[in-house]
Amino acid sequence: MDLIAHLPALQVVIPMLSAPLMVLLQPRGLAWAGATVVALVSFAMAATLAIGVLNGLTPQYFMGGWPAPFGIALSVDAFSAVLLLIVTGASAGALLAAKPSVDQQVEEERQPLFYAAWMLAMAGLIGIVVAADAFNIFVFMEISSLASYILIAGGPDRRALPAVFKYLTMGTIGATFYLIGVGLIYMMTGTLNIEDMQNRIGDVTDINPILVAAGFITIGLALKAAVFPLHVWVPNAYTHAPHMVTVFLAACATKVSLYVLIKFDYLVFQSRLVDHDMQFALFLMPMAILGILIASAVAMFEGHLKRLLASSSIAQIGYILLCASFISTLGLSASVVHLFNHALAKGGLFLAVACLAYHYRDLRLDQLGGASTKMPWTCATVVICGLSLIGIPGTAGFISKWLLISASLQIGPWGWFLVAIILLSSLMAVAYVWRIIEALYFKAPVEGVGPQSEAPIQLLAVTMLVAALNLYFGFFPQVPLELATEAAGMLLEGAQ
Amino acid sequence: MIFVFAIFLLSLLVITSIAIVRTTNLFVAVMLTSIFSFLMAANFFILDAADVALTEAAVGAGVTTVIFLCALALTGEREKPRINGRKTARVAVAILASLMIYATFDKPRLGDPDAPVHQHIAPWYIEKTTEHMDFPNVVTAILSSFRGYDTLGEVFVVFAACIGVLFILGVPPPAQKRLNKVVEQNKGLRHHLIPQVVGRLVIPFIVLFGLYTQFHGEYGPGGGFQAGAIIATGIILYALLEGENKALQAVPRSVLLGMVIGGALLFGSVGVICMFMGGNFLEYSVLSADPIWGQQLGILVIEAGVGMAVCGALLSIFHAFAARENVS
């Protein structure tokens, strides 16, 4: 059998089938090792697919050998290649580092189930990304959501349970809205395959069901993507989840929903609905701007480290959406590049949080005073990833901020207003990142708390690797840029 | 005739759902959701969707109700009074409902042969089922072969739910509670004569019917999903009548977990074997020299996997709740 041709399917099937096996790996540490190997293999497959896409391939796969609108097709294009790299990379990175932190937070006998849920979450997210079928996306959305509820509730923090219940309610509403939308489109076009939908939706004469479907799908996915003001589930879910789960989910979970949102709006609705581009921009741009400003402001006054970073994530989702709402090549490339760079920066920051949490039970900023003397390497990675989050030249974050500003300037007189907002929110980011640095470096340590040593080497090494990647992609951004430009071209072509 | 039935059932559905929203007694609400599911199953049935009706009746009205009741036994029967938020929720639901009704104005007439749904891919399915599988139930063909990948996904949804419940309820409850209460054996309804006698009579038939749905899915309505749920209901009934421990003696926890894992892996490995034999993932035609027999064999095996996984998962979830009840 030709492995390369099967890659799109194997990418989903290997982590998915490994989940039941994880439950069987009862002896100490074995489940972790198995999960890490699977995640690394997935990452290797994603990298192979991305290289293929860069060489001009767009792999397609027909499940069960049935042709496209009848069976379920998988497809990998430049946009999904970026997302695949983010999901598998975040999972592999987090798992490589996970052992010390998870051993501390999850009882040993429950760990096999924990890693099984992790594999399911990863398989679900990958399944959404490679699916070319609207209903199949829903199925894998269910797998990934259920598994992430399990993961978030997995820690010793009992406050995670109400948080996860809120997330579950919101997530279920979001998924149901998406399903209602898909049902309405199916009613009018008779197909579930996205490409086929794109072709057939033009022939629909009664447009009202399609309009309502567009509304339901956009709002449902915005709920799952934590777009302001539908983000209320994020801060608590991220804060009380086990630290390694936060690393994984913060780096990729909301982004996958955002990916489906952008893909659906561009490929299916944009070209067929009159003025949909205007409505899309008018609807999403204000939400994005408000999200950026308000979430950044909340982050500036937040006292808890994880909650602060969660608020900042909501603001970053705003950036990604703002770029996408320009409907231009530059805007979309900025959007895709920022998906990638934000995963790097936020993943690194949450990894550093996991390092700190290994020694600090309480992660409020005023408890973390003087951490830099005992944990210099961890604090250095916080600084580097923080700079990348702000968008200082030389870090990955700068590339996306630069693209974002160039894209805003393209859209005419309003562009200056947007640039002003972007600069203002960057200043706010400086303020909240500074508060973290101030606490770590310049505050006096609190009596009785504080580490005696650095975080375990396994955790620290991965954290430093991610920090280094933030710098690397700041100087050599060619690969993500090339993929992003190609993705933007593909989306705009679909929107014509 | 269908029209009259539909009006009757749908207005009952509306009345039931309003009653669910209005009641503050959770026990009543659970019973009403069970009735809701039965009405829904009847609705599916008069729309000729017998497969869905079976699932809805077994899972929605049967197993879910029992699990809800187990959860109520752990928490409490009455809803906590809440004043704020209800009005906003009602307004939001009203707006959404009117939007959806608005969307259906342009909907093709019910059963219209010219509707896009019946024109585009449905004829292909009907034609190819006979050609490739040579059995009459098109629904089974779509679920297990044409869109078998979705079904595999659903099996993993069930698997995820199962490990989720085991993972979260697997936390030992706070120690002081356990000390205060003597662990008492759950005796079920062993001292109630009428349920006992009726139950003993009914259980074998429920399980037999489950097996029939499992292996007759290609010809009549049914398949692994329904079969798994029906068999699980039978065993849950046994557990309710004879006490949970008796049921666990008959089918221990490890066997249940093994069924979930085994079922999911069985389905997945059929797909992988298809890959090794030169086809795509889940392309059953390559399993045998005769592609029609290959398809039938593949469908038979994956349906068995689905049945095992669903039955094991539902029972594991039930026992996880029931065990919690005995301890705390």
Side-chain angles (χ1 to χ4, degrees), chain A residues 135 138 172-188 209-210 212-217 220 269, chain B residues 96-97 99-101 103-104:
Chain A
F135 185 74
F138 172 75
T172 311
I173 295 176
T176 313
F177 274 25
Y178 174 77
L179 190 63
I180 292 173
V182 171
L184 288 171
I185 297 180
Y186 178 66
M187 179 176 88
M188 299 315 286
I210 305 283
V212 175
F216 269 110
I217 289 179
F269 298 131
Chain B
L96 282 175
L99 257 179
M100 286 188 62
I101 292 170
T104 57

Side-chain angles (χ1 to χ4, degrees), chain A residues 248-305:
Chain A
F248 175 40
L249 294 181
C252 61
T254 53
K255 300 193 175 64
V256 168
S257 303
L258 212 51
Y259 157 86
V260 182
L261 175 64
I262 293 176
K263 209 169 159 177
F264 237 103
D265 268 309
Y266 271 87
L267 296 185
V268 180
F269 298 131
Q270 199 99 252
S271 54
R272 305 301 166 187
L273 296 182
V274 185
D275 287 340
H276 181 72
D277 45 352
M278 277 295 293
Q279 289 159 5
F280 181 71
L282 275 182
F283 176 65
L284 290 181
M285 202 184 277
M287 295 221 290
I289 293 173
L290 279 176
I292 294 171
L293 291 177
I294 295 177
S296 302
V298 170
M300 277 168 64
F301 295 101
E302 186 53 66
H304 189 284
L305 180 53

Side-chain angles (χ1 to χ4, degrees), chain B residues 210-227:
Chain B
L211 290 172
Y212 166 80
T213 355
Q214 171 79 55
F215 294 107
H216 208 258
E218 291 97 321
Y219 300 99
F225 230 96
Q226 292 87 340

Side-chain angles (χ1 to χ4, degrees), chain A residues 1 6 9-10 12-13 16-21 23-24 26 61-67 69-72 74 106-107 109-111 113-114 116-117 120 127 130-131 133-140 142-143 146-147 149-151 153-155 158 161 164 177 180 184 186-193 196 200 206-209 211-213 216, chain B residues 96-97 99-100 102-108 115-125 128 132-133 141-142 145-172 257-258 260-262 264-269 271-272 274-285 295 324:
Chain A
M1 87 182 168
H6 285 297
L10 289 176
V12 188
V13 169
M16 191 155 83
L17 291 186
S18 70
L21 293 175
V23 183
L24 299 176
Q26 290 288 344
Y61 193 84
F62 299 108
M63 279 293 169
W66 305 111
F70 310 109
I72 297 170
L74 307 182
V106 182
E107 297 91 337
E109 63 273 12
R110 291 166 78 216
Q111 280 189 15
L113 290 175
F114 179 81
L120 283 176
V130 296
D133 185 284
F135 185 74
N136 193 241
I137 290 178
F138 172 75
V139 172
F140 279 88
E142 275 187 280
I143 298 182
L146 269 181
Y149 307 145
I150 301 170
L151 289 177
R158 295 274 98 186
L161 294 175
V164 105
F177 274 25
I180 292 173
L184 288 171
Y186 178 66
M187 179 176 88
M188 299 315 286
T189 61
T191 185
L192 290 168
N193 183 285
D196 197 32
R200 288 178 60 89
D206 306 320
I207 210 75
N208 283 340
L211 274 176
V212 175
F216 269 110
Chain B
L96 282 175
L99 257 179
M100 286 188 62
Y102 171 70
T104 57
F105 284 162
D106 288 339
K107 153 179 119 44
V117 188
H118 301 304
Q119 284 299 316
H120 185 42
I121 50 179
W124 189 90
Y125 285 140
K128 299 287 170 178
H132 289 289
M133 289 99 179
I142 295 176
S145 184
F146 296 131
R147 294 187 71 90
Y149 180 54
D150 273 346
T151 309
L152 178 65
E154 290 297 345
V155 169
F156 275 86
V157 172
V158 174
F159 173 71
C162 173
I163 62 168
V165 171
L166 294 184
F167 183 71
I168 290 168
L169 292 185
V171 195
L257 195 60
V260 184
I261 295 172
L265 282 179
L266 184 64
F267 195 153
S269 53
V272 176
C274 293
M275 272 180 175
F276 277 110
M277 294 180 69
N280 275 359
F281 188 68
L282 295 176
E283 186 171 354
Y284 315 127
S285 308
Q295 284 285 346
R324 190 86 180 174

Side-chain angles (χ1 to χ4, degrees), chain B residues 237-262:
Chain B
L237 185 57
Y238 182 73
L240 292 178
L241 291 175
E242 302 284 336
E244 198 222 342
N245 296 321
K246 267 285 194 59
L248 275 180
Q249 274 168 17
V251 197
R253 271 204 188 86
S254 51
V255 173
L256 292 176
L257 195 60
M259 277 167 74
V260 184
I261 295 172

